[in-house]
Amino acid sequence: MSSVRGKVAVVTGAGSGIGRQLAFELARRGARLAVSDVDEDGLAGTAARARALGAQVHSAGLDVTDRAAVLAHADTVADHFGVVHQVYNNAGVAGGGPVLDSDWADYDRILGVNLFGVLHGTKAFLPHLVASGDGHVVNVSSLNGIMAQASINAYSASKFAVRGFTEALRSELLIAGHPVQVTVVHPGGGRTNIATAALEHSRQRGTVTAEDEARMRMYNEKLLRMPAEQAARIVVDGVEAGKPRVLVGNDAKAVDLLVRLAPRAYPRLVAALQRRAQRA
Protein backbone atom coordinates (compact mmCIF):
# COMPACT_ATOMS: atom_id res chain seq x y z
CA MET A 1 0.00 0.00 0.00
CA SER A 2 1.18 3.51 -0.85
CA SER A 3 -0.56 6.47 0.77
CA VAL A 4 -1.31 9.62 -1.22
CA ARG A 5 -0.83 11.72 1.92
CA GLY A 6 1.67 14.49 1.28
CA LYS A 7 1.96 13.66 -2.41
CA VAL A 8 1.56 16.27 -5.14
CA ALA A 9 -1.25 15.05 -7.40
CA VAL A 10 -2.19 16.59 -10.74
CA VAL A 11 -5.82 16.17 -11.89
CA THR A 12 -7.02 17.24 -15.34
CA GLY A 13 -10.70 17.72 -16.08
CA ALA A 14 -11.23 18.68 -12.45
CA GLY A 15 -14.07 21.13 -13.05
CA SER A 16 -16.82 18.51 -12.81
CA GLY A 17 -17.66 14.81 -12.63
CA ILE A 18 -15.11 12.22 -11.60
CA GLY A 19 -12.25 14.73 -11.93
CA ARG A 20 -13.83 17.04 -9.38
CA GLN A 21 -14.48 14.15 -7.01
CA LEU A 22 -10.94 12.84 -7.49
CA ALA A 23 -9.69 16.23 -6.33
CA PHE A 24 -11.93 16.10 -3.26
CA GLU A 25 -10.97 12.51 -2.42
CA LEU A 26 -7.26 13.28 -2.76
CA ALA A 27 -7.72 16.39 -0.60
CA ARG A 28 -9.43 14.34 2.12
CA ARG A 29 -6.50 11.94 2.10
CA GLY A 30 -3.94 14.71 2.54
CA ALA A 31 -2.60 15.21 -0.98
CA ARG A 32 -1.45 18.52 -2.40
CA LEU A 33 -3.28 19.33 -5.60
CA ALA A 34 -2.73 20.84 -9.03
CA VAL A 35 -6.15 20.95 -10.69
CA SER A 36 -7.03 22.10 -14.19
CA ASP A 37 -9.95 22.30 -16.63
CA VAL A 38 -11.17 24.28 -19.64
CA ASP A 39 -14.25 25.15 -17.55
CA GLU A 40 -12.71 27.78 -15.32
CA ASP A 41 -15.95 28.47 -13.42
CA GLY A 42 -16.37 24.81 -12.52
CA LEU A 43 -12.67 24.62 -11.69
CA ALA A 44 -12.92 27.56 -9.29
CA GLY A 45 -15.62 25.70 -7.37
CA THR A 46 -13.47 22.58 -7.21
CA ALA A 47 -10.43 24.51 -5.98
CA ALA A 48 -12.43 26.34 -3.32
CA ARG A 49 -13.92 23.13 -1.96
CA ALA A 50 -10.57 21.33 -2.01
CA ARG A 51 -9.00 24.18 -0.04
CA ALA A 52 -11.87 23.99 2.44
CA LEU A 53 -10.96 20.31 2.88
CA GLY A 54 -7.47 21.42 3.92
CA ALA A 55 -5.52 20.87 0.71
CA GLN A 56 -2.87 23.09 -0.80
CA VAL A 57 -4.21 23.80 -4.29
CA HIS A 58 -2.70 25.15 -7.50
CA SER A 59 -5.46 25.84 -10.02
CA ALA A 60 -5.12 26.65 -13.74
CA GLY A 61 -7.36 26.84 -16.77
CA LEU A 62 -6.04 24.32 -19.26
CA ASP A 63 -6.97 22.85 -22.62
CA VAL A 64 -5.35 19.40 -22.67
CA THR A 65 -5.34 19.38 -26.47
CA ASP A 66 -2.86 22.28 -26.42
CA ARG A 67 0.52 20.54 -26.22
CA ALA A 68 2.55 23.66 -25.46
CA ALA A 69 0.11 24.69 -22.72
CA VAL A 70 0.29 21.27 -21.04
CA LEU A 71 4.10 21.27 -21.16
CA ALA A 72 4.17 24.75 -19.62
CA HIS A 73 1.62 23.66 -16.99
CA ALA A 74 3.84 20.75 -15.96
CA ASP A 75 6.82 23.06 -15.45
CA THR A 76 4.67 25.56 -13.53
CA VAL A 77 3.33 22.89 -11.19
CA ALA A 78 6.81 21.46 -10.60
CA ASP A 79 8.15 24.94 -9.84
CA HIS A 80 5.21 25.68 -7.53
CA PHE A 81 5.47 22.55 -5.39
CA GLY A 82 9.09 21.58 -6.01
CA VAL A 83 8.03 18.02 -6.92
CA VAL A 84 5.23 16.13 -8.68
CA HIS A 85 4.32 12.59 -7.66
CA GLN A 86 1.09 11.70 -9.44
CA VAL A 87 -0.82 12.69 -12.56
CA TYR A 88 -4.47 11.75 -13.10
CA ASN A 89 -5.13 12.20 -16.82
CA ASN A 90 -8.89 12.35 -16.44
CA ALA A 91 -10.13 15.03 -18.87
CA GLY A 92 -12.47 13.54 -21.43
CA VAL A 93 -15.43 14.13 -23.71
CA ALA A 94 -18.09 11.85 -25.16
CA GLY A 95 -19.95 12.05 -28.43
CA GLY A 96 -19.55 11.05 -32.03
CA GLY A 97 -21.77 8.77 -34.07
CA PRO A 98 -21.69 5.95 -36.61
CA VAL A 99 -18.71 6.00 -38.96
CA LEU A 100 -20.82 6.90 -41.99
CA ASP A 101 -22.42 9.82 -40.15
CA SER A 102 -19.32 11.18 -38.40
CA ASP A 103 -17.30 14.05 -39.79
CA TRP A 104 -13.62 14.76 -39.23
CA ALA A 105 -14.41 17.40 -36.62
CA ASP A 106 -15.89 14.66 -34.40
CA TYR A 107 -12.68 12.64 -34.56
CA ASP A 108 -10.46 15.68 -34.06
CA ARG A 109 -12.38 16.78 -30.97
CA ILE A 110 -12.77 13.38 -29.30
CA LEU A 111 -9.31 12.03 -30.07
CA GLY A 112 -7.80 15.42 -29.26
CA VAL A 113 -9.14 15.43 -25.71
CA ASN A 114 -9.40 11.74 -24.84
CA LEU A 115 -6.21 10.45 -26.42
CA PHE A 116 -3.88 13.37 -27.01
CA GLY A 117 -4.87 14.88 -23.67
CA VAL A 118 -3.56 11.70 -22.03
CA LEU A 119 -0.43 11.66 -24.20
CA HIS A 120 0.29 15.30 -23.44
CA GLY A 121 -0.26 14.91 -19.71
CA THR A 122 1.86 11.77 -19.50
CA LYS A 123 4.74 13.09 -21.59
CA ALA A 124 4.76 16.46 -19.82
CA PHE A 125 4.73 15.13 -16.27
CA LEU A 126 6.61 11.82 -16.59
CA PRO A 127 10.13 13.29 -16.15
CA HIS A 128 8.94 14.97 -12.94
CA LEU A 129 7.37 11.72 -11.70
CA VAL A 130 10.61 9.85 -12.34
CA ALA A 131 12.57 12.56 -10.51
CA SER A 132 10.23 12.31 -7.51
CA GLY A 133 11.38 8.75 -6.81
CA ASP A 134 7.79 7.68 -6.12
CA GLY A 135 5.68 8.52 -9.15
CA HIS A 136 2.35 7.30 -10.44
CA VAL A 137 0.59 7.78 -13.80
CA VAL A 138 -3.19 7.26 -13.70
CA ASN A 139 -4.89 7.31 -17.10
CA VAL A 140 -8.67 7.19 -17.34
CA SER A 141 -9.97 4.96 -20.11
CA SER A 142 -13.55 3.66 -20.00
CA LEU A 143 -15.77 0.62 -20.10
CA ASN A 144 -15.58 1.37 -23.82
CA GLY A 145 -11.84 0.80 -23.69
CA ILE A 146 -12.70 -2.86 -23.02
CA MET A 147 -15.81 -3.25 -25.16
CA ALA A 148 -16.38 -1.41 -28.43
CA GLN A 149 -19.84 0.02 -28.88
CA ALA A 150 -21.78 1.04 -31.97
CA SER A 151 -22.55 4.70 -32.65
CA ILE A 152 -19.68 6.00 -30.51
CA ASN A 153 -16.81 4.69 -32.62
CA ALA A 154 -14.55 7.73 -32.10
CA TYR A 155 -15.04 7.53 -28.33
CA SER A 156 -14.37 3.78 -28.26
CA ALA A 157 -11.28 4.24 -30.43
CA SER A 158 -9.93 6.91 -28.09
CA LYS A 159 -10.48 4.82 -24.98
CA PHE A 160 -8.99 1.64 -26.47
CA ALA A 161 -5.98 3.76 -27.43
CA VAL A 162 -5.64 5.08 -23.87
CA ARG A 163 -5.67 1.51 -22.60
CA GLY A 164 -3.01 0.39 -25.10
CA PHE A 165 -0.80 3.40 -24.49
CA THR A 166 -1.00 2.97 -20.71
CA GLU A 167 -0.22 -0.75 -20.78
CA ALA A 168 2.74 -0.16 -23.10
CA LEU A 169 3.97 2.63 -20.80
CA ARG A 170 3.79 0.29 -17.81
CA SER A 171 5.99 -2.24 -19.59
CA GLU A 172 8.50 0.42 -20.61
CA LEU A 173 8.86 1.72 -17.07
CA LEU A 174 9.25 -1.78 -15.67
CA ILE A 175 11.99 -2.55 -18.20
CA ALA A 176 13.77 0.74 -17.46
CA GLY A 177 13.41 0.31 -13.71
CA HIS A 178 11.99 3.78 -13.20
CA PRO A 179 10.24 4.41 -9.85
CA VAL A 180 6.85 5.13 -11.42
CA GLN A 181 3.72 3.00 -11.14
CA VAL A 182 1.07 3.02 -13.86
CA THR A 183 -2.68 2.50 -13.55
CA VAL A 184 -5.36 2.41 -16.23
CA VAL A 185 -8.91 3.12 -15.04
CA HIS A 186 -12.04 1.75 -16.70
CA PRO A 187 -15.11 3.51 -15.28
CA GLY A 188 -18.53 2.11 -16.04
CA GLY A 189 -21.69 4.17 -15.78
CA GLY A 190 -20.81 7.05 -13.48
CA ARG A 191 -23.36 9.73 -12.59
CA THR A 192 -21.63 12.59 -14.42
CA ASN A 193 -22.66 15.10 -17.08
CA ILE A 194 -20.56 13.58 -19.88
CA ALA A 195 -23.51 12.34 -21.96
CA THR A 196 -25.43 15.59 -21.54
CA ALA A 197 -22.35 17.64 -22.43
CA ALA A 198 -21.84 15.59 -25.59
CA LEU A 199 -25.45 16.14 -26.60
CA GLU A 200 -25.19 19.88 -25.96
CA HIS A 201 -22.08 20.05 -28.17
CA SER A 202 -24.03 18.39 -31.00
CA ARG A 203 -27.02 20.67 -30.39
CA GLN A 204 -24.82 23.75 -30.77
CA ARG A 205 -23.61 22.42 -34.12
CA GLY A 206 -27.18 21.66 -35.19
CA THR A 207 -26.48 17.95 -35.61
CA VAL A 208 -28.69 16.42 -32.90
CA THR A 209 -30.98 13.60 -34.05
CA ALA A 210 -33.88 11.88 -32.34
CA GLU A 211 -31.58 8.89 -31.86
CA ASP A 212 -29.06 11.12 -30.05
CA GLU A 213 -31.78 12.38 -27.70
CA ALA A 214 -32.97 8.83 -26.99
CA ARG A 215 -29.43 7.61 -26.36
CA MET A 216 -28.75 10.46 -23.92
CA ARG A 217 -31.95 9.66 -21.99
CA MET A 218 -31.01 5.98 -21.88
CA TYR A 219 -27.53 6.77 -20.57
CA ASN A 220 -28.71 9.19 -17.91
CA GLU A 221 -31.69 7.12 -16.76
CA LYS A 222 -30.41 3.55 -17.04
CA LEU A 223 -26.62 3.48 -17.25
CA LEU A 224 -25.06 6.48 -15.50
CA ARG A 225 -25.88 5.45 -11.97
CA MET A 226 -22.74 5.30 -9.81
CA PRO A 227 -22.16 8.57 -7.91
CA ALA A 228 -18.95 10.25 -9.05
CA GLU A 229 -17.69 10.43 -5.46
CA GLN A 230 -17.95 6.64 -5.16
CA ALA A 231 -16.08 6.21 -8.43
CA ALA A 232 -13.35 8.54 -7.17
CA ARG A 233 -12.94 6.52 -3.96
CA ILE A 234 -12.54 3.33 -5.97
CA VAL A 235 -9.90 4.96 -8.17
CA VAL A 236 -7.84 6.35 -5.29
CA ASP A 237 -8.16 3.08 -3.37
CA GLY A 238 -6.77 1.33 -6.44
CA VAL A 239 -3.91 3.80 -6.73
CA GLU A 240 -2.98 3.40 -3.08
CA ALA A 241 -3.10 -0.39 -3.50
CA GLY A 242 -0.80 -0.13 -6.53
CA LYS A 243 -3.27 -1.79 -8.90
CA PRO A 244 -2.26 -1.69 -12.56
CA ARG A 245 -5.93 -1.82 -13.63
CA VAL A 246 -9.02 -0.47 -11.88
CA LEU A 247 -12.53 -1.46 -12.96
CA VAL A 248 -15.06 1.02 -11.60
CA GLY A 249 -18.53 -0.43 -11.15
CA ASN A 250 -20.21 -3.79 -11.60
CA ASP A 251 -21.03 -2.92 -15.20
CA ALA A 252 -17.34 -2.51 -16.03
CA LYS A 253 -16.57 -5.81 -14.29
CA ALA A 254 -19.38 -7.60 -16.14
CA VAL A 255 -18.26 -6.21 -19.51
CA ASP A 256 -14.67 -7.24 -18.81
CA LEU A 257 -15.83 -10.79 -18.05
CA LEU A 258 -18.09 -10.90 -21.13
CA VAL A 259 -15.32 -9.81 -23.48
CA ARG A 260 -12.91 -12.34 -21.99
CA LEU A 261 -15.39 -15.23 -22.17
CA ALA A 262 -16.95 -14.45 -25.56
CA PRO A 263 -14.59 -12.30 -27.62
CA ARG A 264 -16.18 -13.31 -30.93
CA ALA A 265 -19.82 -13.26 -29.83
CA TYR A 266 -19.94 -10.09 -27.75
CA PRO A 267 -20.31 -7.59 -30.64
CA ARG A 268 -23.56 -9.28 -31.73
CA LEU A 269 -24.83 -9.34 -28.15
CA VAL A 270 -23.97 -5.66 -27.62
CA ALA A 271 -25.69 -4.71 -30.89
CA ALA A 272 -28.83 -6.59 -29.83
CA LEU A 273 -28.85 -4.87 -26.42
CA GLN A 274 -28.40 -1.44 -28.04
CA ARG A 275 -31.30 -2.05 -30.42
CA ARG A 276 -33.49 -3.13 -27.51
CA ALA A 277 -32.51 -0.09 -25.44
CA GLN A 278 -33.29 2.27 -28.32
CA ARG A 279 -36.76 0.76 -28.64
CA ALA A 280 -37.46 1.05 -24.89
Side-chain angles (χ1 to χ4, degrees), residues 20-42:
R20 167 174 277 186
Q21 296 302 326
L22 278 171
F24 296 163
E25 188 64 26
L26 290 162
R28 291 186 189 99
R29 301 191 193 201
R32 293 173 284 168
L33 298 175
V35 293
S36 64
D37 203 297
V38 291
D39 174 9
E40 296 196 35
D41 290 337

Side-chain angles (χ1 to χ4, degrees), residues 251-274:
D251 49 355
K253 294 175 183 177
V255 162
D256 182 57
L257 182 61
L258 170 64
V259 171
R260 288 172 184 271
L261 292 177
R264 294 178 62 186
Y266 95 80
R268 291 192 297 273
L269 175 59
V270 171
L273 291 173
Q274 283 189 263

Side-chain angles (χ1 to χ4, degrees), residues 5 19 30 76 108 126-127 154-155 160 172 178 225 231 236 257 264:
R5 181 167 297 279
T76 298
D108 289 342
L126 189 57
Y155 182 79
F160 266 86
E172 290 176 9
H178 290 310
R225 293 182 174 180
V236 181
L257 182 61
R264 294 178 62 186

Side-chain angles (χ1 to χ4, degrees), residues 59 195 212 249 260:
S59 178
D212 293 330
R260 288 172 184 271

